[in-house]
Amino acid sequence: MGSNEVSAEALMICAPIRSQCVEQIVKKMHEAKAQGADVVEVSLDHITNFHPHNDLQTILTNKLLPILFSYRPKWEGGLYEGDENIRLEALQLAMELGADFIDIELKAASSCLKTMMEYKKNHGNHGKIIVSSYVDGVTPPKSELLKLVTLMKATGADIIKLVTNAQDITEIERIFSILPYSQACDFHIFIGLIHMDVPLIAYSVGDRGLISQLLCPKFGGFFVYGSLDGNPIPGMPSLETLREAYKLEHVNEDTKVFGLISKPVGHSKGPLLHNPTFRHAKFNGMYVPMFVDDLKEFFSTYTSPDFAGYSVGFPYKEKVLTFCDEVHPLAQSIGAVNTIVRRPIDGKLVGYNTDCEGAITAIEDALIEHGCNDGGACLSSPLAGRLFVLVGAGGAGRALAFGAKSRGARIVIFDIDFDRAKSLASAVFGEALHYKDLAIFQPEKGAILANATPIGMHPNIADRISVSEETLEDYELVFDAVYTPRKTRLLKAAEAVGAITVSGVEMFLRQARGQFNLFTGLQAPDQFMREIVLSKF
């Protein structure tokens, strides 16, 4: 798209630019274009000592992409605190000088929009006027959002924009319900008749609002916002991830939604693996991070067949069983679910566990590769008879424990919650020991150590490890379920004393292959997925 070509139909990726000087704005416009943005939004209220005519001329003279100018007052979440007439005159000037878009708040529209529209008509100006409304606090009910949309539409704006600040991911469903491709039944039909002829930008800010950006093309939003690389904004994907992982040009109203249910969720690399694999297999699906605070509210809100399946991460792998209509026998025996599929024929949620085989086969294959298959031919596993020391008795720990049990290992479990460790040990005929004794625990030669705690996970990369470094040389193999970073401090220490190491990346890959099979009904392209993991993780 050229710098003067602005479509009111096609989805556009917009990069916000907030800088204190015009020179930085020009530099960031170049970066935005190089990173795949279609539009930039320049926040004039962030410019120090803003001189409207000179600064706007400089920005527009150097534009490489269509530019949206906003000049946000403090009462609408911006920085401007001066005279209101001066602020609106600057926006009028931006339009006269050739801005592609200007953003005016609904509260201010009544005092200036008529004049701006008349100017556009009389001068053949092709710039688009956006009327916007920012709602702070909890997202209002759908009926109130409808009133806001109606009021903005009534101003005669070219585009309308609604921004909320979601306190919970379930509030985003209200945003989706007002977008053109929503399936919110009678409510949507009514609202659609009001605004289908006017492009709508609607999203929520903050970590819990991320899916409002990523799923925007599915539900018919006009803009998706993406942050410049190196300038992260909470709740906003980076231009790089939009370009590399999501490729929103492939998303449409028929796209099935899959996602990781977790808290936190920012560490997830699932989108980097699942989305390219969906495209490779020509499966119309999209995988997104879902920051979930309340499982009950989440599952009672997102009931549409469009939301077709989930990965389940920390801390919900055990708790989520309650919300599954059916649970696969393996997952039931483990007491942890890491994969949920909405069955198409009846909409029921079915829980599975792909962690178990993913982790255990990764450990087995590493032992076999290093010639450590001492389990005996009749048992066929190099884990048979070995001491398996497990740290962490949560969802991932339970999968590891049941996998080790199925291979004939002898299991010792440590967990900060001793009762939880005892419960798991009882289920796998193992032994539970107090967590405080882990630092002095002396394993027998040839033992396996498996860390299933979040210790060492990005961004909280710890300076400590879960065991004493002096004992690491007694373990034949050390496994860490953490996969960000790829080589944790524990694995580095184990490698230094000559132990075989297995990264959580290997477990992640194998469990993800199982998830892909369950999500799509297709066979996972193993080599394609491995190449992604090796290059991106």
Side-chain angles (χ1 to χ4, degrees):
M1 177 178 289
S3 62
N4 295 314
E5 299 173 18
V6 178
S7 168
E9 287 81 32
L11 176 79
M12 304 179 80
I13 295 176
C14 181
I17 295 178
R18 299 166 183 167
S19 294
Q20 294 182 334
C21 68
V22 172
E23 290 75 18
Q24 277 296 313
I25 290 172
V26 172
K27 178 183 176 183
K28 288 186 177 182
M29 285 197 296
H30 282 77
E31 293 174 5
K33 181 176 176 62
Q35 293 172 27
D38 301 308
V39 186
V40 293
E41 177 177 338
V42 175
S43 298
L44 299 176
D45 48 298
H46 283 253
I47 300 175
T48 303
N49 298 321
F50 176 51
H51 298 287
H53 197 278
N54 290 340
D55 292 345
L56 288 169
Q57 280 279 26
T58 300
I59 294 168
L60 287 165
T61 299
N62 288 278
K63 83 169 185 175
L64 299 172
L65 294 169
I67 300 178
L68 186 166
F69 286 106
S70 62
Y71 199 6
R72 203 72 70 202
K74 201 155 190 177
W75 49 261
E76 192 82 344
L79 300 180
Y80 183 78
E81 296 183 89
D83 183 272
E84 184 69 357
N85 290 327
I86 293 175
R87 183 180 76 87
L88 296 176
E89 286 170 3
L91 289 171
Q92 167 92 27
L93 178 61
M95 186 176 68
E96 294 173 4
L97 291 174
D100 302 280
F101 305 91
I102 60 168
D103 184 325
I104 300 170
E105 300 75 22
L106 175 61
K107 294 177 184 177
S110 60
S111 63
C112 66
L113 200 61
K114 183 178 179 181
T115 301
M116 290 185 179
M117 288 294 189
E118 287 178 353
Y119 177 88
K120 279 184 58 176
K121 182 179 178 180
N122 294 335
H123 292 81
N125 188 289
H126 297 293
K128 306 291 184 183
I129 297 178
I130 300 172
V131 169
S132 64
S133 181
Y134 172 71
V135 182
D136 199 5
V138 176
T139 305
K142 295 176 186 179
S143 58
E144 291 187 27
L145 295 181
L146 171 59
K147 290 177 183 177
L148 270 176
V149 169
T150 305
L151 287 171
M152 288 188 285
K153 167 75 167 58
T155 64
D158 299 303
I159 301 164
I160 55 179
K161 176 180 176 181
L162 177 65
V163 183
T164 68
N165 186 2
Q167 310 300 299
D168 190 278
I169 194 171
T170 57
E171 296 173 31
I172 307 303
E173 189 270 340
R174 301 169 210 168
I175 295 290
F176 293 151
S177 74
I178 66 170
L179 287 166
Y181 303 158
S182 169
Q183 300 300 314
C185 301
D186 292 342
F187 175 84
H188 172 69
I189 291 169
F190 177 44
I191 198 170
L193 290 172
I194 293 172
H195 74 72
M196 280 293 283
D197 58 327
V198 178
L200 173 61
I201 302 167
Y203 64 92
S204 187
V205 298
D207 290 330
R208 290 160 178 81
L210 178 59
I211 64 170
S212 68
Q213 297 283 358
L214 297 176
L215 299 181
C216 169
K218 173 176 173 59
F219 294 104
F222 182 50
F223 273 9
V224 172
Y225 282 81
S227 62
L228 289 167
D229 296 351
N231 292 274
I233 299 174
M236 188 178 295
S238 70
L239 291 172
E240 179 183 19
T241 59
L242 289 175
R243 184 178 66 246
E244 297 294 328
Y246 295 105
K247 293 189 182 297
L248 299 181
E249 64 270 22
H250 296 283
V251 178
N252 56 47
E253 59 186 298
D254 296 321
T255 299
K256 293 296 183 184
V257 178
F258 302 87
L260 171 65
I261 296 171
S262 188
K263 180 182 179 180
V265 78
H267 67 283
S268 173
K269 293 191 176 181
L272 296 176
L273 179 60
H274 282 293
N275 288 312
T277 307
F278 286 154
R279 292 192 294 271
H280 177 80
K282 295 180 171 52
F283 178 82
N284 190 3
M286 187 178 189
Y287 185 96
V288 298
M290 296 174 167
F291 193 122
V292 174
D293 294 285
D294 187 311
L295 289 173
K296 182 179 180 180
E297 288 296 316
F298 178 83
F299 286 116
S300 63
T301 298
Y302 293 100
T303 58
S304 164
D306 282 343
F307 290 82
Y310 307 100
S311 305
V312 184
F314 180 83
Y316 295 131
K317 292 186 180 186
E318 296 166 87
K319 296 176 185 176
V320 81
L321 269 79
T322 307
F323 303 97
C324 294
D325 298 302
E326 295 177 17
V327 179
H328 185 272
L330 175 63
Q332 190 73 63
S333 65
I334 293 171
V337 161
N338 79 312
T339 309
I340 297 175
V341 175
R342 189 182 301 280
R343 195 160 53 200
I345 57 172
D346 56 14
K348 291 187 179 298
L349 298 176
V350 184
Y352 299 87
N353 191 300
T354 66
D355 280 338
C356 180
E357 283 300 298
I360 291 302
T361 58
I363 293 171
E364 286 180 315
D365 288 351
L367 287 169
I368 292 169
E369 182 182 338
H370 287 81
C372 304
N373 190 359
D374 301 325
C378 63
L379 292 171
S380 72
S381 172
L383 289 173
R386 287 184 188 269
L387 179 65
F388 192 95
V389 180
L390 173 64
V391 185
R398 294 188 69 86
L400 281 157
F402 276 85
K405 173 197 171 188
S406 73
R407 283 5 184 226
R410 296 175 289 117
I411 304 167
V412 174
I413 301 169
F414 294 89
D415 193 274
I416 292 176
D417 185 337
F418 185 57
D419 288 337
R420 185 164 71 165
K422 285 195 297 182
S423 174
L424 178 55
S426 175
V428 297
F429 303 102
E431 180 183 6
L433 297 177
H434 288 280
Y435 190 80
K436 62 181 176 59
D437 296 329
L438 178 59
I440 58 173
F441 178 75
Q442 190 68 46
E444 62 190 51
K445 291 288 185 180
I448 306 297
L449 173 66
N451 173 52
T453 74
I455 292 174
M457 184 171 72
H458 179 83
N460 301 313
I461 299 174
D463 292 329
R464 62 188 178 91
I465 60 176
S466 54
V467 300
S468 169
E469 290 194 35
E470 289 72 24
T471 67
L472 281 178
E473 61 185 17
D474 293 323
Y475 292 101
E476 186 143 25
L477 180 146
V478 176
F479 167 83
D480 198 337
V482 171
Y483 65 86
T484 50
R486 183 171 182 169
K487 188 175 286 188
T488 61
R489 189 174 184 277
L490 172 63
L491 294 183
K492 289 177 181 177
E495 195 174 67
V497 297
I500 302 166
T501 59
V502 179
S503 168
V505 168
E506 188 64 33
M507 172 186 172
F508 175 81
L509 169 62
R510 294 174 185 230
Q511 65 81 32
R513 291 194 310 225
Q515 289 186 332
F516 178 90
N517 297 341
L518 291 167
F519 287 159
T520 66
L522 305 172
Q523 187 63 37
D526 292 355
Q527 188 57 37
F528 179 82
M529 295 178 78
R530 182 168 292 279
E531 287 172 1
I532 290 177
V533 167
L534 292 177
S535 64
K536 300 291 185 184
F537 285 45

